[in-house]
């Protein structure tokens, strides 16, 4: 049964697309994105410029803060909808022309919960608050550049796509020292924050929105390295930590419930759920089907990293004592925490052309190739 479903999905992902002629208006006039390093296209790098070493090496030849070897999911989505690579909000002073095609407020390391929550809980986090509510404030401050009055804003935002998340992954990462049961206790707070920002955007005039779930972190190289277990039964047949994946399933269920609540309160809004969990999980379960290596041990390793069973330790990718794999397009994980461009491409393709977005986005004029 499972194999049959997987086959169906693969087929569906390559099947749609290219319906719209280029003469038609684009499905979305702009994309506004909120999130963390999964979608940051330069905001953290603006505040903390540094040599990012091999980041970006496969595609851009420079990193600009993008935490992968190439394009991110959000960039593939922008491409598919005929929009420019998303402009980081901090870079706007340099090139104002593109703001009407969309702006990216995502910030690497940012959390769904604001910094006050963390300072109260004794967990160490980045010095600056770049959490979801702060990103929403950046959006509000930027609004005068986007539209002049309510009528104009309503009309523009109606034709724009607002993406909230992935966010919340860092809230979990900062609490990794806790037990799974303790982690579950903060899920309602994280979900509440995502819900609040989503509602705030709807109140600003957003009509088409995406709320993204979280990834199967039990398969994440960083988690696998930090949570090594001697008990065989802690791992599934693909080498992923069962408890962490089950935890994310719980997280995503809570998130989906809150989306239902938002839909009831705001029936005019169209909210799409991005199922990052199952979209990414199928890549771990049958990597060879998507052009990745089939070796069950190697596929869990980071491409760029240091020592240890997963080619990943506390050394940041690109610093001394780290090495890069010979072919990043054959691996899923780039630097321990983040995916490779090749993995992001497959994830994005199934969001845009396939069956991991509920309900689907508008048909994209361009294929993700
Ligand atoms: C979400 O909004 C509600 C209602 O305004 C508020 O009580 C709650 O504290 C907010 N939650 C978060 C996590 O910001
Ligand atoms: C790199 O490895 C060498 C030899 O093990 C060690 O002396 C050095 O401290 C390491 N450098 C970093 C940045 O970890």
């Amino acid at each position: 049964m499972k194999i049959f479903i997987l086959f169906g999905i693969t087929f569906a992902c390559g099947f749609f697309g290219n319906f719209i002629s280029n003469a038609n208006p684009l499905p979305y006039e702009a994309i506004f994105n909120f999130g963390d390093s999964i979608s940051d296209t330069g905001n953290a790098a603006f505040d903390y410029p540094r040599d990012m070493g091999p980041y970006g090496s496969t595609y851009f030849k420079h990193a600009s803060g993008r935490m992968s070897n190439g394009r991110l999911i959000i960039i593939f989505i922008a491409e598919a909808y005929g929009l420019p690579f998303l402009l980081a909000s901090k870079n706007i002073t340099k090139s104002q022309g593109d703001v009407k095609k969309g702006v990216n407020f995502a910030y690497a390391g940012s959390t769904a919960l604001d910094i006050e929550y963390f300072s109260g809980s004794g967990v160490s986090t980045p010095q600056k608050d770049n959490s979801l509510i702060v990103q929403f404030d950046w959006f509000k401050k930027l609004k005068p550049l986007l539209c002049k009055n309510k009528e104009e804003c309503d009309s523009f935002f109606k034709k724009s796509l607002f993406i909230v998340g992935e966010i919340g992954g860092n809230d979990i990462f900062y609490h990794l020292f806790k037990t799974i049961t303790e982690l579950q206790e903060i899920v309602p707070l994280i979900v509440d924050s995502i819900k609040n920002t989503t509602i705030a955007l709807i109140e600003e005039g957003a009509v088409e929105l995406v709320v993204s779930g979280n990834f199967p972190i039990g398969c994440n190289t960083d988690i696998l390295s930090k949570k090594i277990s001697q008990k065989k039964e802690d791992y599934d047949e693909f080498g992923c930590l069962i408890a962490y994946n089950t935890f994310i399933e719980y997280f995503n269920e809570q998130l989906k419930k809150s989306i239902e609540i938002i839909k009831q309160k705001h029936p005019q809004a169209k909210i799409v759920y991005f199922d990052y969990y199952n979209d990414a999980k199928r890549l771990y379960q049958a990597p060879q089907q998507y052009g990745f290596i089939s070796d069950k041990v190697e596929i869990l390793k980071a491409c760029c990293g240091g020592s240890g069973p997963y080619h990943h330790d506390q050394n940041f990718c690109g610093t001394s004592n780290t090495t890069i794999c010979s072919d990043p397009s054959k691996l899923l994980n780039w630097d321990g925490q983040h995916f490779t461009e090749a993995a992001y491409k497959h994830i994005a393709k199934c969001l845009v052309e396939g069956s991991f977005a509920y309900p689907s986005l508008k048909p994209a004029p361009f294929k993700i190739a």
Side-chain angles (χ1 to χ4, degrees):
M1 186 62 184
K2 210 166 202 173
I3 287 161
F4 180 72
I5 290 166
L6 276 173
F7 176 74
I9 287 162
T10 317
F11 185 69
C13 284
F15 196 64
F16 301 107
N18 283 345
F19 295 126
I20 299 169
S21 108
N22 290 351
N24 290 337
L26 293 173
Y28 305 108
E29 276 191 13
I31 293 177
F32 297 99
N33 182 69
F34 303 81
D36 57 24
S37 59
I38 298 298
S39 59
D40 185 351
T41 50
N43 284 319
F46 180 90
D47 284 344
Y48 303 99
R50 64 186 165 88
D51 180 11
M52 294 278 290
Y55 282 83
S57 52
T58 297
Y59 189 80
F60 298 100
K61 311 301 170 201
H62 63 95
S64 299
R66 287 171 289 248
M67 303 298 271
S68 182
N69 57 315
R71 287 164 290 179
L72 310 177
I73 296 168
I74 186 70
I75 299 177
F76 284 112
I77 292 175
E79 272 190 298
Y81 286 97
L83 294 167
F85 291 177
L86 226 47
L87 179 66
S89 61
K90 304 247 173 192
N91 278 328
I92 279 169
T93 43
K94 281 197 232 155
S95 54
Q96 278 195 11
D98 282 326
V99 290
K100 296 220 172 168
K101 297 271 169 80
V103 179
N104 189 6
F105 303 93
Y107 198 104
S110 69
T111 50
L113 296 169
D114 62 40
I115 211 146
E116 271 168 45
Y117 171 80
F118 291 93
S119 54
S121 71
V123 177
S124 63
T125 57
Q127 313 85 318
K128 271 171 73 185
D129 193 352
N130 305 303
S131 64
L132 203 45
I133 189 84
V134 175
Q135 292 179 24
F136 176 71
D137 280 345
W138 293 338
F139 167 75
K140 292 259 287 196
K141 290 208 180 84
L142 188 84
K143 235 176 106 180
L145 282 182
L146 300 171
C147 46
K148 286 197 269 309
N149 51 48
K150 185 169 180 337
E151 202 189 348
E152 210 184 294
C153 291
D154 281 352
S155 148
F156 177 44
F157 292 159
K158 211 173 165 173
K159 291 177 277 184
S160 303
L161 180 66
F162 290 78
I163 303 180
V164 183
E166 178 276 330
I167 187 93
N170 287 317
D171 302 65
I172 295 161
F173 273 84
Y174 288 132
H175 286 91
L176 272 188
F177 62 91
K178 295 200 170 187
T179 65
I180 297 275
T181 314
E182 287 169 335
L183 280 177
Q184 284 192 350
E185 286 165 15
I186 62 168
V187 168
L189 280 172
I190 300 172
V191 166
D192 207 33
S193 159
I194 297 171
K195 179 176 141 207
N196 284 3
T197 298
T198 307
I199 290 173
L201 287 169
I202 293 170
E203 286 167 353
E204 286 293 322
V207 175
E208 306 248 354
L209 303 98
V210 167
V211 173
S212 309
N214 218 310
F215 294 97
I217 63 169
C219 308
N220 180 274
T221 307
D222 191 54
I223 303 260
L224 286 168
S225 318
K226 284 176 175 155
K227 297 288 173 187
I228 287 173
S229 169
Q230 301 311 323
K231 292 192 210 135
K232 250 186 112 182
E233 63 269 28
D234 287 347
Y235 296 91
D236 67 14
E237 60 187 303
F238 308 102
C240 303
L241 284 162
I242 294 166
Y244 284 91
N245 277 351
T246 308
F247 167 68
I248 293 299
E249 284 175 15
Y250 170 77
F251 178 100
N252 288 341
E253 283 311 313
Q254 299 303 305
L255 189 62
K256 282 192 269 183
K257 277 184 193 159
S258 84
I259 293 172
E260 288 312 312
I261 294 168
I262 305 171
K263 281 181 174 170
Q264 280 165 16
K265 274 173 100 173
H266 301 276
Q268 85 286 7
K270 182 189 165 194
I271 306 174
V272 174
Y273 172 70
F274 272 2
D275 185 2
Y276 277 175
Y277 181 85
N278 288 302
D279 196 351
K281 207 171 178 201
R282 82 200 149 101
L283 304 180
Y284 290 104
Q285 292 178 339
Q288 68 287 355
Q289 208 174 320
Y290 307 97
F292 299 98
I293 57 165
S294 58
D295 188 296
K296 280 189 164 191
V297 175
E298 294 298 315
I299 196 65
L300 295 171
K301 293 185 182 177
C303 169
C304 181
S307 57
Y310 297 98
H311 191 232
H312 175 65
D313 51 29
Q314 71 289 348
N315 291 315
F316 195 74
C317 161
T319 60
S320 54
N321 297 354
T322 62
T323 55
I324 309 171
C325 64
S326 57
D327 188 356
S329 74
K330 296 285 178 218
L331 283 180
L332 295 170
N333 189 286
W334 168 243
D335 63 354
Q337 284 174 342
H338 309 98
F339 290 93
T340 54
E341 176 184 86
Y344 278 146
K345 186 179 86 180
H346 282 284
I347 293 170
K349 199 168 169 63
C350 256
L351 295 171
V352 172
E353 300 167 17
S355 35
F356 288 110
Y358 305 99
S360 317
L361 296 170
K362 290 182 188 170
F366 304 101
K367 270 187 175 274
I368 295 175

